[in-house]
C-alpha cells in the first residue's frame, strides 16, 4: 500500500525560507513523477514543481528562481523535497505532494491538478505572514 506523509504545517515571515518534505513508502513503479501542488484559500489547486525518476524538473512561473524540487531514494523509500526561498504572502496555501506512474515531469505538470496524481499526501499548510 502506498503512503505519502508530509511534514507539518509552518509559518514563515516574508522573505524567509522553508523546506517541505514528503515521504513515499510502498511505491514499486520504476517510472514515475512526483510533484508539489498547492491550493490557496478560495483558489483552484495549481502545480508548483515536478520531478521525474530521471531527475528532470519543471516549475510554475511563480516558483521559478525561488523554489527547488528534489528527490532521494533510501531503502525503497522515496523522499520528495521542496526548498522554498524568498517566500511571499501569496505563497500561503495548502501544499500537497503527489506521485503518478509512467509519465515525465512535464506530462505530470500538464495533468489535471485535482486528479492528475495516483496518490496524494495529507497536505502541509504554509502560512507566510509578518
Amino acid at each position: 500500500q502506498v503512503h505519502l506523509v508530509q511534514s507539518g504545517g509552518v509559518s514563515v515571515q516574508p522573505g524567509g525560507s522553508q523546506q517541505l518534505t514528503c515521504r513515499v513508502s510502498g511505491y514499486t513503479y520504476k517510472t514515475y513523477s512526483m510533484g508539489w501542488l498547492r491550493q490557496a484559500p478560495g483558489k483552484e489547486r495549481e502545480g508548483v514543481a515536478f520531478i521525474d525518476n530521471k531527475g528532470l524538473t519543471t516549475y510554475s512561473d511563480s516558483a521559478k528562481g525561488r523554489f527547488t524540487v528534489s528527490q532521494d531514494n533510501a531503502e525503497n523509500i522515496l523522499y520528495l523535497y521542496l526548498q522554498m526561498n524568498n517566500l511571499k504572502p501569496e505563497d500561503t496555501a495548502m501544499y500537497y505532494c503527489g506521485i503518478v506512474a509512467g509519465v515525465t515531469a512535464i506530462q505530470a505538470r500538464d495533468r489535471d491538478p485535482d486528479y492528475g496524481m495516483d496518490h496524494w499526501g495529507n497536505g502541509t499548510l504554509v502560512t507566510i505572514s509578518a
Side-chain angles (χ1 to χ4, degrees):
Q1 193 170 5
V2 180
H3 290 285
L4 281 72
V5 180
Q6 298 182 221
S7 48
V10 294
S11 181
V12 184
Q13 292 189 340
S17 297
Q18 181 66 41
Q19 184 181 68
L20 304 184
T21 300
C22 176
R23 181 181 184 273
V24 184
S25 61
Y27 200 76
T28 59
Y29 289 98
K30 300 302 182 184
T31 302
Y32 60 82
S33 283
M34 295 190 288
W36 291 99
L37 299 91
R38 69 185 183 185
Q39 188 163 17
K43 295 188 176 181
E44 296 182 349
R45 188 175 296 189
E46 62 177 358
V48 176
F50 298 86
I51 186 168
D52 61 28
N53 57 283
K54 295 183 179 179
L56 299 176
T57 59
T58 185
Y59 296 89
S60 67
D61 287 342
S62 63
K64 285 177 185 176
R66 298 189 299 128
F67 295 1
T68 302
V69 62
S70 61
Q71 64 179 334
D72 198 1
N73 188 337
E75 298 181 350
N76 295 321
I77 302 294
L78 294 172
Y79 293 90
L80 178 67
Y81 304 101
L82 185 68
Q83 177 64 42
M84 304 185 293
N85 298 325
N86 189 24
L87 284 161
K88 305 175 180 180
E90 52 263 42
D91 294 318
T92 295
M94 185 70 79
Y95 285 70
Y96 297 94
C97 63
I99 190 167
V100 56
V103 299
T104 66
I106 291 177
Q107 291 170 333
R109 177 200 67 190
D110 292 340
R111 293 166 68 93
D112 188 298
D114 290 318
Y115 305 107
M117 295 292 174
D118 295 333
H119 304 279
W120 293 93
N122 49 310
T124 297
L125 181 61
V126 175
T127 303
I128 311 302
S129 174

